[in-house]
Amino acid sequence: MAEVKPYDKEGSKKEQVADMFNNISGRYDFLNHFLSVGIDKRWRKKAIKMLKQYNPKQVLDIATGTGDFAIAALKMDPDRVTGVDISTGMLEKGNEKIKKKKLDDRITLTYGDSENLPFEDNTFDAITVGFGVRNFEDLEKGLSEMLRVLKPGGHAAVLEFSKPKKFPVKQSFKFYSKYIIPTIGKTISKDKRAYTYLPESVEAFPEGQAFSDIMTKVGFKSKERKLVSGGIATIYLGEKV
Protein backbone atom coordinates (compact mmCIF):
# COMPACT_ATOMS: atom_id res chain seq x y z
CA MET A 1 0.00 0.00 0.00
CA ALA A 2 1.54 3.30 -1.11
CA GLU A 3 1.67 5.85 1.69
CA VAL A 4 -0.46 8.91 1.01
CA LYS A 5 -0.02 11.90 3.32
CA PRO A 6 -2.35 14.89 3.66
CA TYR A 7 0.38 17.50 3.10
CA ASP A 8 3.57 17.90 1.09
CA LYS A 9 5.77 18.73 4.07
CA GLU A 10 7.96 17.18 6.74
CA GLY A 11 6.35 15.00 9.38
CA SER A 12 4.96 11.50 9.68
CA LYS A 13 1.58 10.55 8.25
CA LYS A 14 0.25 10.29 11.80
CA GLU A 15 1.35 13.85 12.64
CA GLN A 16 -0.08 15.20 9.39
CA VAL A 17 -3.42 13.42 9.86
CA ALA A 18 -3.71 14.92 13.36
CA ASP A 19 -2.89 18.39 11.96
CA MET A 20 -5.42 17.98 9.15
CA PHE A 21 -8.27 17.03 11.45
CA ASN A 22 -7.35 19.81 13.88
CA ASN A 23 -7.53 22.24 10.94
CA ILE A 24 -10.98 21.13 9.75
CA SER A 25 -12.56 20.19 13.10
CA GLY A 26 -14.72 23.33 13.24
CA ARG A 27 -16.52 22.49 9.98
CA TYR A 28 -16.08 18.72 9.95
CA ASP A 29 -19.56 17.64 11.02
CA PHE A 30 -21.28 20.00 8.59
CA LEU A 31 -19.06 19.00 5.68
CA ASN A 32 -19.18 15.29 6.47
CA HIS A 33 -22.98 15.10 6.43
CA PHE A 34 -23.33 17.61 3.59
CA LEU A 35 -20.88 15.90 1.24
CA SER A 36 -22.27 12.43 1.95
CA VAL A 37 -25.88 13.71 1.75
CA GLY A 38 -26.37 12.13 5.19
CA ILE A 39 -25.83 8.62 3.83
CA ASP A 40 -22.90 8.09 6.23
CA LYS A 41 -25.45 7.85 9.08
CA ARG A 42 -27.13 4.90 7.34
CA TRP A 43 -23.78 3.16 6.91
CA ARG A 44 -23.01 3.47 10.61
CA LYS A 45 -26.46 2.12 11.50
CA LYS A 46 -25.82 -0.94 9.33
CA ALA A 47 -22.47 -1.56 11.02
CA ILE A 48 -24.07 -1.26 14.45
CA LYS A 49 -26.81 -3.68 13.43
CA MET A 50 -24.14 -6.24 12.48
CA LEU A 51 -22.55 -5.90 15.95
CA LYS A 52 -25.72 -5.68 18.03
CA GLN A 53 -26.46 -9.41 17.87
CA TYR A 54 -23.36 -10.01 20.04
CA ASN A 55 -24.69 -7.79 22.85
CA PRO A 56 -21.41 -5.95 23.61
CA LYS A 57 -21.18 -4.15 26.94
CA GLN A 58 -17.81 -2.40 26.62
CA VAL A 59 -17.37 -0.71 23.23
CA LEU A 60 -14.34 1.11 21.83
CA ASP A 61 -14.65 3.54 18.91
CA ILE A 62 -11.27 4.16 17.26
CA ALA A 63 -10.61 7.36 15.29
CA THR A 64 -13.81 8.60 16.90
CA GLY A 65 -13.49 12.16 15.58
CA THR A 66 -16.50 14.10 16.84
CA GLY A 67 -18.10 10.94 18.22
CA ASP A 68 -20.78 10.06 15.65
CA PHE A 69 -19.99 6.33 15.67
CA ALA A 70 -19.69 6.33 19.48
CA ILE A 71 -23.15 7.90 19.73
CA ALA A 72 -24.58 5.41 17.21
CA ALA A 73 -23.11 2.57 19.30
CA LEU A 74 -25.54 3.40 22.12
CA LYS A 75 -28.19 1.57 20.05
CA MET A 76 -26.53 -1.65 21.23
CA ASP A 77 -27.29 -0.68 24.85
CA PRO A 78 -23.71 -1.07 26.10
CA ASP A 79 -22.59 -0.19 29.63
CA ARG A 80 -20.01 2.21 28.26
CA VAL A 81 -18.61 3.52 24.98
CA THR A 82 -15.05 4.85 24.86
CA GLY A 83 -13.86 6.87 21.88
CA VAL A 84 -10.21 7.62 21.06
CA ASP A 85 -8.65 9.96 18.52
CA ILE A 86 -5.30 11.67 17.84
CA SER A 87 -6.91 15.01 16.97
CA THR A 88 -7.49 17.21 20.00
CA GLY A 89 -9.58 19.58 17.87
CA MET A 90 -11.98 16.81 16.86
CA LEU A 91 -12.20 15.53 20.43
CA GLU A 92 -13.06 19.02 21.67
CA LYS A 93 -15.96 19.25 19.22
CA GLY A 94 -17.03 15.70 20.04
CA ASN A 95 -17.09 16.34 23.78
CA GLU A 96 -19.14 19.50 23.23
CA LYS A 97 -21.65 17.46 21.23
CA ILE A 98 -21.85 14.67 23.81
CA LYS A 99 -22.36 17.09 26.71
CA LYS A 100 -25.04 18.92 24.74
CA LYS A 101 -26.84 15.62 24.15
CA LYS A 102 -26.34 14.73 27.85
CA LEU A 103 -24.58 11.49 26.96
CA ASP A 104 -21.36 12.05 28.92
CA ASP A 105 -22.47 9.52 31.55
CA ARG A 106 -22.30 6.77 28.88
CA ILE A 107 -19.65 7.98 26.43
CA THR A 108 -16.06 9.00 27.15
CA LEU A 109 -13.92 10.55 24.41
CA THR A 110 -10.20 10.72 25.05
CA TYR A 111 -6.88 11.21 23.29
CA GLY A 112 -5.41 7.95 22.02
CA ASP A 113 -3.10 6.64 19.30
CA SER A 114 -4.74 3.81 17.34
CA GLU A 115 -1.36 2.13 16.90
CA ASN A 116 -0.56 2.26 20.63
CA LEU A 117 -3.89 2.05 22.40
CA PRO A 118 -3.84 3.04 26.11
CA PHE A 119 -5.83 0.00 27.27
CA GLU A 120 -5.12 -3.40 28.78
CA ASP A 121 -5.36 -6.60 26.75
CA ASN A 122 -8.86 -8.11 26.43
CA THR A 123 -10.76 -4.99 27.57
CA PHE A 124 -13.55 -4.51 25.00
CA ASP A 125 -16.42 -6.64 23.68
CA ALA A 126 -16.65 -4.68 20.43
CA ILE A 127 -14.69 -2.13 18.41
CA THR A 128 -15.94 0.25 15.74
CA VAL A 129 -13.84 2.28 13.29
CA GLY A 130 -15.50 4.64 10.84
CA PHE A 131 -13.30 5.90 7.99
CA GLY A 132 -10.25 5.70 10.23
CA VAL A 133 -8.11 2.70 9.21
CA ARG A 134 -7.34 4.44 5.91
CA ASN A 135 -5.48 7.06 7.95
CA PHE A 136 -3.36 4.60 9.96
CA GLU A 137 0.35 5.08 9.44
CA ASP A 138 0.96 1.35 9.97
CA LEU A 139 -2.22 -0.53 9.04
CA GLU A 140 -1.14 -3.92 10.38
CA LYS A 141 0.03 -2.43 13.67
CA GLY A 142 -3.28 -0.59 14.11
CA LEU A 143 -5.30 -3.73 13.40
CA SER A 144 -3.07 -5.76 15.75
CA GLU A 145 -3.75 -3.23 18.52
CA MET A 146 -7.48 -3.58 17.91
CA LEU A 147 -7.14 -7.35 18.25
CA ARG A 148 -5.08 -7.01 21.43
CA VAL A 149 -7.64 -4.92 23.32
CA LEU A 150 -10.61 -7.03 22.18
CA LYS A 151 -11.80 -9.81 24.46
CA PRO A 152 -11.77 -13.34 23.02
CA GLY A 153 -15.04 -13.70 21.16
CA GLY A 154 -15.19 -9.93 20.65
CA HIS A 155 -15.94 -8.33 17.29
CA ALA A 156 -14.62 -5.39 15.29
CA ALA A 157 -16.66 -3.54 12.66
CA VAL A 158 -14.59 -1.46 10.25
CA LEU A 159 -16.47 0.96 7.98
CA GLU A 160 -14.31 2.32 5.19
CA PHE A 161 -14.61 3.87 1.75
CA SER A 162 -14.09 1.59 -1.22
CA LYS A 163 -14.06 1.96 -4.98
CA PRO A 164 -17.36 1.10 -6.72
CA LYS A 165 -16.92 -1.32 -9.61
CA LYS A 166 -20.21 -1.08 -11.51
CA PHE A 167 -21.68 1.53 -13.86
CA PRO A 168 -23.01 4.14 -13.13
CA VAL A 169 -21.93 4.29 -9.46
CA LYS A 170 -18.25 3.84 -10.39
CA GLN A 171 -18.19 6.79 -12.80
CA SER A 172 -20.39 9.02 -10.63
CA PHE A 173 -18.40 8.43 -7.46
CA LYS A 174 -15.07 8.95 -9.23
CA PHE A 175 -16.20 12.32 -10.60
CA TYR A 176 -17.77 13.35 -7.29
CA SER A 177 -14.75 12.41 -5.18
CA LYS A 178 -12.18 13.87 -7.59
CA TYR A 179 -13.86 17.20 -8.37
CA ILE A 180 -16.88 18.00 -6.19
CA ILE A 181 -15.57 16.95 -2.75
CA PRO A 182 -12.22 18.81 -3.02
CA THR A 183 -13.86 21.98 -4.38
CA ILE A 184 -16.58 22.21 -1.73
CA GLY A 185 -14.29 20.97 1.03
CA LYS A 186 -11.60 23.53 0.23
CA THR A 187 -14.12 26.38 0.06
CA ILE A 188 -15.80 25.62 3.38
CA SER A 189 -12.97 24.16 5.47
CA LYS A 190 -10.26 26.56 4.16
CA ASP A 191 -7.86 23.61 4.07
CA LYS A 192 -6.77 23.09 0.45
CA ARG A 193 -5.40 19.59 0.95
CA ALA A 194 -7.79 17.91 3.41
CA TYR A 195 -10.50 17.03 0.89
CA THR A 196 -8.03 16.26 -1.89
CA TYR A 197 -6.33 13.79 0.45
CA LEU A 198 -9.63 11.93 0.90
CA PRO A 199 -9.97 10.55 -2.66
CA GLU A 200 -6.20 9.96 -2.85
CA SER A 201 -6.25 7.88 0.34
CA VAL A 202 -9.31 5.93 -0.88
CA GLU A 203 -7.49 5.15 -4.13
CA ALA A 204 -4.42 3.83 -2.25
CA PHE A 205 -6.36 1.77 0.33
CA PRO A 206 -6.34 -2.05 0.03
CA GLU A 207 -10.09 -2.61 -0.11
CA GLY A 208 -12.29 -5.67 -0.31
CA GLN A 209 -10.58 -9.06 -0.18
CA ALA A 210 -7.17 -7.41 0.16
CA PHE A 211 -8.23 -5.72 3.42
CA SER A 212 -9.97 -8.86 4.68
CA ASP A 213 -6.71 -10.73 4.07
CA ILE A 214 -4.78 -8.21 6.17
CA MET A 215 -7.30 -8.60 9.01
CA THR A 216 -6.83 -12.37 8.81
CA LYS A 217 -3.04 -11.98 8.70
CA VAL A 218 -2.94 -10.11 12.03
CA GLY A 219 -5.22 -12.70 13.68
CA PHE A 220 -8.86 -11.78 13.08
CA LYS A 221 -11.36 -14.33 11.88
CA SER A 222 -13.15 -12.69 8.97
CA LYS A 223 -16.89 -12.97 9.58
CA GLU A 224 -18.53 -10.77 6.97
CA ARG A 225 -17.87 -8.16 4.31
CA LYS A 226 -20.81 -6.00 3.27
CA LEU A 227 -20.84 -3.47 0.42
CA VAL A 228 -23.08 -0.46 0.99
CA SER A 229 -24.48 2.09 -1.49
CA GLY A 230 -23.24 0.24 -4.55
CA GLY A 231 -19.73 -0.21 -3.20
CA ILE A 232 -18.99 3.38 -2.16
CA ALA A 233 -18.14 1.95 1.26
CA THR A 234 -17.63 -1.48 2.81
CA ILE A 235 -18.29 -2.82 6.31
CA TYR A 236 -15.78 -5.46 7.44
CA LEU A 237 -16.67 -7.61 10.46
CA GLY A 238 -13.91 -9.54 12.22
CA GLU A 239 -13.84 -11.70 15.33
CA LYS A 240 -11.13 -12.40 17.90
CA VAL A 241 -11.13 -16.16 18.44
Side-chain angles (χ1 to χ4, degrees):
M1 171 178 160
E3 185 175 64
V4 176
K5 295 181 180 180
Y7 305 108
D8 183 18
K9 65 177 184 180
E10 290 297 313
S12 68
K13 179 175 179 178
K14 189 181 299 183
E15 292 167 338
Q16 291 193 22
V17 165
D19 286 346
M20 178 186 73
F21 281 112
N22 285 338
N23 290 343
I24 66 175
S25 59
R27 304 297 287 164
Y28 178 81
D29 275 348
F30 169 77
L31 272 168
N32 196 31
H33 301 316
F34 177 75
L35 289 170
S36 69
V37 203
I39 205 168
D40 59 307
K41 295 179 183 178
R42 293 218 312 265
W43 297 341
R44 279 188 285 270
K45 282 182 181 177
K46 286 186 178 183
I48 293 301
K49 190 176 180 180
M50 290 165 71
L51 282 175
K52 190 174 182 180
Q53 60 184 309
Y54 303 110
N55 195 32
K57 291 303 173 188
Q58 294 294 328
V59 178
L60 174 65
D61 183 39
I62 293 175
T64 194
T66 60
D68 281 344
F69 220 159
I71 293 168
L74 294 178
K75 290 287 184 184
M76 298 187 289
D77 196 29
D79 293 335
R80 186 129 208 110
V81 179
T82 303
V84 295
D85 203 283
I86 58 170
S87 166
T88 53
M90 296 286 275
L91 288 168
E92 185 180 335
K93 294 296 178 184
N95 278 312
E96 286 173 9
K97 185 195 299 184
I98 283 162
K99 284 175 184 172
K100 192 175 180 180
K101 291 177 178 286
K102 296 182 170 56
L103 297 174
D104 43 330
D105 59 329
R106 301 182 68 195
I107 300 174
T108 302
L109 301 188
T110 186
Y111 180 86
D113 180 352
S114 57
E115 292 161 43
N116 188 23
L117 292 169
F119 306 110
E120 298 292 324
D121 296 359
N122 309 319
T123 299
F124 298 97
D125 302 297
I127 292 176
T128 56
V129 196
F131 312 111
V133 295
R134 195 180 72 257
N135 298 321
F136 287 0
E137 188 168 86
D138 186 329
L139 181 57
E140 288 188 19
K141 188 176 181 185
L143 292 174
S144 296
E145 274 292 274
M146 288 165 56
L147 190 72
R148 179 184 68 78
V149 301
L150 262 183
K151 294 177 184 176
H155 293 80
V158 176
L159 170 61
E160 190 51 85
F161 285 114
S162 46
K163 298 180 281 291
K165 306 296 189 289
K166 294 181 180 179
F167 177 86
V169 181
K170 177 182 176 180
Q171 288 76 11
S172 301
F173 180 68
K174 193 168 185 177
F175 179 83
Y176 187 71
S177 62
K178 189 173 182 180
Y179 298 106
I180 306 300
I181 289 176
T183 301
I184 296 175
K186 179 175 68 174
T187 303
I188 296 176
S189 74
K190 307 303 182 188
D191 187 311
K192 291 181 180 180
R193 274 291 298 163
Y195 289 88
T196 304
Y197 163 76
L198 190 152
E200 289 175 358
S201 61
V202 172
E203 189 65 34
F205 185 71
E207 59 169 333
Q209 187 62 50
F211 181 72
S212 293
D213 288 346
I214 296 170
M215 288 188 76
T216 303
K217 181 182 176 184
V218 303
F220 278 100
K221 177 184 177 183
S222 183
K223 296 277 288 185
E224 194 174 348
R225 188 170 72 242
K226 187 181 186 69
L227 294 175
V228 290
S229 299
I232 293 173
T234 305
I235 303 166
Y236 304 87
L237 186 67
E239 179 184 10
K240 180 175 179 176
V241 292

